[in-house]
Amino acid sequence: MNQVLRTHNCGELRSSNIGQEVTLCGWVDKSRDHGGTIFLDLRDRYGKTQVVVNPDCGEAALRTAKELRGEDVVRIHGVVESRLEGKDNSKLPTGEIELRANRVELLNRCKTPPFFPGQEELPSEDLRLKFRYIDLRRETMRGTLVKRSEIIKSMRDYFADNGFIDIETPILGRSTPEGARDYLVPSRVHWGHFFALPQSPQLYKQILMVAGFDRYVQVARCFRDEDLRADRQPEFTQLDLEMSFVDADDVMGMIDGLMAKLAQEFLGIELQLPLPRLTYDEAMQRYGTDAPDLRFGMEIVDCSDLAAQTEFRVFRGAVDQGGFVRGIKVEQRAADFSRKRIDELTEFVKNDFGAKGLAWFRVEPDGKLWSPISKNIEEPVLQGLAEKFETQPGDLLLLLADSWDVTCKGLNGLRKTLGAELGLYDPKQMHFSWVVEFPMFEKDEDRWVAMHHPFTAPRTQDLPLLESNPSAARAQAYDLVINGYEAGGGTVRIHDQLTQSKVFELLSITPEVAKDRFGFLLDGLQYGAPPHGGIALGIDRIVMLFTGLDNIRDCIAFPKTQRAMDLMTQAPGTVEDKQLHELHIQVETPPAK
RNA sequence: GGCCCAGUGGCGCAAUUGGUUAGCGCAUCGGACUGUCGAUCCGAAGGUUGAGGGUUCGAGCCCCUUCUGGGUCGCCA
């Protein structure tokens, strides 16, 4: 009778449609059977509509409706009617109307599912992942994926409006031993040779600049075979871009504009531009991390100078060994910290960050610092601490005496934990900032390694430092930080051979090795490479932050578990011997347990 | 690889801290009901506590091993 399966969706009918004959398709979200009258909540991507079936609708319709169960797929033909006086449902946009059915058609029966999309308690995550098609029917999951789609569209529009062109780069590429562990793809044609999936399109986009494409952008899938976290998946999506004839300010300015647009469209907030900038050194000193959560204070205070004046061995010893004594202040909440809680925090900094212990002081009503260790510390030093931290009665001080690294990591860990626990910020609040001037190099055991990648340009004023003092050299690198998450990072690249050679030399990358690994880029740089720079934004993380979620899996339709498995498809799986044979691969027998 | 948390009918939780027959809500199945929207009411079925081993007169609970999921450190240029 009807040529079309449906005339409307389940989210669009309103009072203005009253009297119309329509056909809806969808899933039975819920049915309420009153014997004579049956109410069905029909659900699809767009919303829910209430369907009424009663004896006036015909026996066949009533009989079919009676047998419907949750998640059955149905098609309903009927007339849009106003709900009875006072029976509107204000929770639904379609709540003023209902569909009086005259035909009820079961399109497909649903087995009793392990859980229902509408149920109040969320099932365990492994079950949600195994039955992802059911989990994705949940309103929040649907909402997140819709918003993700809208965010990506908005990004693409922005860059298109700014003259960027979208160019795809290969997924099958070449392994570069630096950086994260690669996912490898064996070559059938080339015995013993492998492709690597891209960790990022880094080298290709630089080549595109050499090719003159000027402004490139891509929504790029990236792969890194490293252990997972709440904000890390083995495959993830970057908004990757590169620009020619620009400096760091130009790139950051472009992203400032993007963030302002996204914040306005999706959060309804007006960002003040330019976004605040913080140097790497400042970030480490004040927050102990290169990605600080700036929604609250609780800044780190360095009291190493005072520690040098005490005989107390823990403090003095740390400083004498070239370490630091640094701490944070919990304002007015000392009473919230039981001895047990402080013990837990001590275990936390010991276990997770290798701290030797946690020193703490309570500020007494008379303003004096009290601690189990305060009797070991000279009065002037205690007073100095109080002044340095600008303490008030009721404050709590937490101090670490350790290496720079441990104090940074430990205090950052404490600050993040306590900031959330004490509710020092509104979880809905958003803070955008840049961290700039990263070091060019860091020491890994005895050798220098690139902090970002070996093509990162140093600040021009730091060029002489490459020879004299590499550790002091700062890069033209910038990270976008949102709420304590690294939401993106980029650099201005080296575009001249001389600087590139110097950097390689420092990184102990011989010309031969360099030629072998990325000879094509080095060649390219000699054929008219423009100055260029770019950035990559973590789309999954940005979606996570913009939707207020605390893990990245909920922003991805089909994510992997912590052990990098897909519970729905059971990937990765074994393959047939024939396939292995074709690829010239032998699988080792796992060691006996 | 280290540390931490969790695993009990299909789902979410409980079990007085080692003591009778493992309990509740939702879902499922059957019945009743013409206005519900987390419908309601009556009834039924359904678990040996992730797996293996140990301690004990007795283990969901204690110990060891292991599997799965999650958090985190290392790792992630």
Side-chain angles (χ1 to χ4, degrees):
Chain A
M1 185 174 150
N2 273 331
Q3 294 300 306
V4 282
L5 267 178
R6 60 175 176 187
T7 59
H8 293 77
N9 66 51
C10 295
E12 65 178 320
L13 295 173
R14 299 288 185 276
S15 296
S16 56
N17 301 99
I18 287 171
Q20 292 178 7
E21 253 187 68
V22 302
T23 308
L24 296 183
C25 290
W27 287 260
V28 175
D29 193 63
K30 202 88 190 176
S31 86
R32 293 176 292 281
D33 184 351
H34 289 244
T37 301
I38 298 169
F39 297 98
L40 300 170
D41 291 337
L42 197 61
R43 186 197 70 234
D44 67 10
R45 208 187 111 187
Y46 307 92
K48 289 186 212 172
T49 301
Q50 172 161 288
V51 175
V52 192
V53 192
N54 65 14
D56 302 340
C57 302
E59 206 180 307
L62 193 63
R63 199 177 337 112
T64 311
K66 234 178 182 24
E67 298 195 339
L68 293 179
R69 296 291 176 269
E71 301 310 301
D72 284 342
V73 184
V74 296
R75 179 173 180 232
I76 312 279
H77 181 78
V79 179
V80 182
E81 292 190 349
S82 173
R83 291 206 182 186
L84 296 185
E85 187 70 30
K87 300 293 187 183
D88 291 0
N89 185 348
S90 57
K91 289 183 200 158
L92 294 179
T94 61
E96 289 182 4
I97 56 95
E98 61 194 8
L99 180 61
R100 181 162 298 267
N102 50 41
R103 205 170 64 237
V104 177
E105 212 178 323
L106 177 61
L107 296 177
N108 201 358
R109 175 70 81 189
C110 180
K111 282 173 65 177
T112 300
F115 62 93
F116 288 89
Q119 74 184 43
E120 51 281 17
E121 295 117 339
L122 205 57
S124 62
E125 193 161 356
D126 48 338
L127 202 72
R128 292 174 51 207
L129 291 173
K130 186 171 175 195
F131 296 91
R132 196 59 162 174
Y133 35 86
I134 295 172
D135 192 44
L136 293 177
R137 289 179 194 164
R138 291 170 46 235
E139 203 177 333
T140 48
M141 286 306 295
R142 203 170 65 229
T144 304
L145 292 184
V146 168
K147 191 171 255 189
R148 178 182 177 119
S149 166
E150 289 168 354
I151 287 173
I152 291 174
K153 177 181 189 301
S154 181
M155 288 175 162
R156 288 193 145 126
D157 288 348
Y158 176 82
F159 289 110
D161 291 347
N162 279 284
F164 283 74
I165 70 168
D166 190 326
I167 303 177
E168 290 169 271
T169 54
I171 291 292
L172 296 176
R174 203 183 154 158
S175 174
T176 50
E178 304 223 334
R181 195 175 294 111
D182 283 319
Y183 275 101
L184 297 178
V185 179
S187 163
R188 175 180 57 84
V189 181
H190 301 277
W191 189 289
H193 287 59
F194 295 82
F195 293 104
L197 305 184
Q199 296 180 20
S200 78
Q202 182 60 40
L203 300 179
Y204 294 109
K205 67 175 174 179
Q206 291 194 241
I207 293 289
L208 287 171
M209 293 304 105
V210 179
F213 281 100
D214 198 40
R215 288 183 167 200
Y216 138 92
V217 71
Q218 182 183 193
V219 175
R221 192 66 66 86
C222 304
F223 306 85
R224 294 179 190 175
D225 187 5
E226 297 292 347
D227 287 348
L228 283 70
R229 287 288 185 282
D231 64 347
R232 246 160 53 189
Q233 280 275 304
E235 59 178 303
F236 58 101
T237 309
Q238 286 188 342
L239 190 289
D240 190 52
L241 68 89
E242 193 77 9
M243 305 164 75
S244 289
F245 308 113
V246 293
D247 60 18
D249 285 335
D250 293 320
V251 179
M252 284 189 272
M254 186 59 69
I255 300 303
D256 276 358
L258 174 68
M259 286 302 133
K261 177 177 189 250
L262 295 178
Q264 200 221 341
E265 288 175 4
F266 297 100
L267 304 168
I269 55 176
E270 302 293 327
L271 290 188
Q272 283 288 79
L273 299 186
L275 294 174
R277 295 182 190 179
L278 194 67
T279 66
Y280 171 89
D281 289 335
E282 216 180 330
M284 296 307 283
Q285 276 160 23
R286 291 166 59 187
Y287 305 101
T289 171
D290 60 5
D293 191 339
L294 298 178
R295 288 175 297 179
F296 62 103
M298 206 189 254
E299 291 188 21
I300 294 173
V301 174
D302 191 332
C303 31
S304 306
D305 53 343
L306 285 166
Q309 296 165 28
T310 177
E311 292 304 314
F312 179 50
R313 279 184 49 196
V314 173
F315 284 7
R316 180 67 178 276
V319 178
D320 286 348
Q321 285 165 42
F324 296 80
V325 176
R326 302 161 79 205
I328 51 175
K329 176 176 69 175
V330 180
E331 283 177 15
Q332 297 303 301
R333 303 286 284 272
D336 294 352
F337 288 81
S338 62
R339 189 59 195 258
K340 180 165 170 259
R341 182 65 189 131
I342 290 176
D343 286 345
E344 284 168 4
L345 293 173
T346 306
E347 284 310 302
F348 171 55
V349 292
K350 279 182 171 175
N351 288 335
D352 276 12
F353 308 107
K356 294 184 208 56
L358 177 67
W360 59 276
F361 297 87
R362 208 165 56 205
V363 185
E364 300 288 306
D366 61 5
K368 290 233 159 75
L369 298 190
W370 185 90
S371 164
I373 55 168
S374 52
K375 58 182 178 299
N376 301 319
I377 301 177
E378 302 79 358
E379 190 56 35
V381 175
L382 287 174
Q383 242 172 48
L385 283 173
E387 280 164 30
K388 201 148 209 151
F389 278 93
E390 297 176 6
T391 56
Q392 297 290 325
D395 291 349
L396 176 75
L397 303 182
L398 298 169
L399 279 74
L400 293 179
D402 233 302
S403 67
W404 176 258
D405 201 42
V406 169
T407 57
C408 279
K409 287 177 177 164
L411 292 171
N412 173 49
L414 286 172
R415 184 175 171 272
K416 279 206 299 205
T417 304
L418 298 176
E421 182 179 315
L422 299 171
L424 299 184
Y425 54 89
D426 175 356
K428 289 203 282 282
Q429 191 188 338
M430 298 285 281
H431 191 285
F432 299 73
S433 63
W434 291 101
V435 173
V436 299
E437 295 177 20
F438 281 76
M440 280 289 287
F441 312 103
E442 54 190 350
K443 267 267 164 60
D444 179 31
E445 281 157 21
D446 258 356
R447 61 192 197 101
W448 292 110
V449 293
M451 190 142 177
H452 209 83
H453 57 60
F455 316 108
T456 303
R459 299 193 305 172
T460 38
Q461 65 267 43
D462 291 357
L463 277 169
L465 291 173
L466 293 185
E467 316 254 7
S468 58
N469 183 10
S471 67
R474 290 294 178 264
Q476 297 186 55
Y478 31 86
D479 275 6
L480 176 68
V481 177
I482 306 176
N483 295 357
Y485 286 91
E486 182 193 330
T491 63
V492 169
R493 332 293 182 186
I494 298 170
H495 67 279
D496 68 286
Q497 189 56 47
L498 190 68
T499 312
Q500 189 65 71
S501 307
K502 262 187 205 157
V503 170
F504 279 158
E505 199 180 316
L506 258 162
L507 297 171
S508 311
I509 299 174
T510 64
E512 293 73 32
V513 170
K515 187 164 190 286
D516 181 55
R517 288 183 195 172
F518 16 73
F520 63 97
L521 177 64
L522 300 180
D523 286 347
L525 291 178
Q526 296 179 74
Y527 285 95
H532 59 287
I535 191 168
L537 305 179
I539 287 182
D540 315 274
R541 281 187 192 168
I542 286 175
V543 173
M544 171 178 97
L545 292 162
F546 274 56
T547 49
L549 293 167
D550 58 5
N551 90 68
I552 205 174
R553 294 181 300 280
D554 284 349
C555 314
I556 297 173
F558 304 103
K560 298 195 171 39
T561 65
Q562 194 162 62
R563 294 183 64 249
M565 275 213 18
D566 180 333
L567 294 183
M568 187 180 70
T569 65
Q570 292 289 304
T574 54
V575 298
E576 287 176 23
D577 286 345
K578 178 166 175 277
Q579 292 175 283
L580 289 176
H581 212 78
E582 284 174 343
L583 296 169
H584 332 297
I585 285 180
Q586 278 188 325
V587 177
E588 286 181 29
T589 319
K593 292 215 168 170

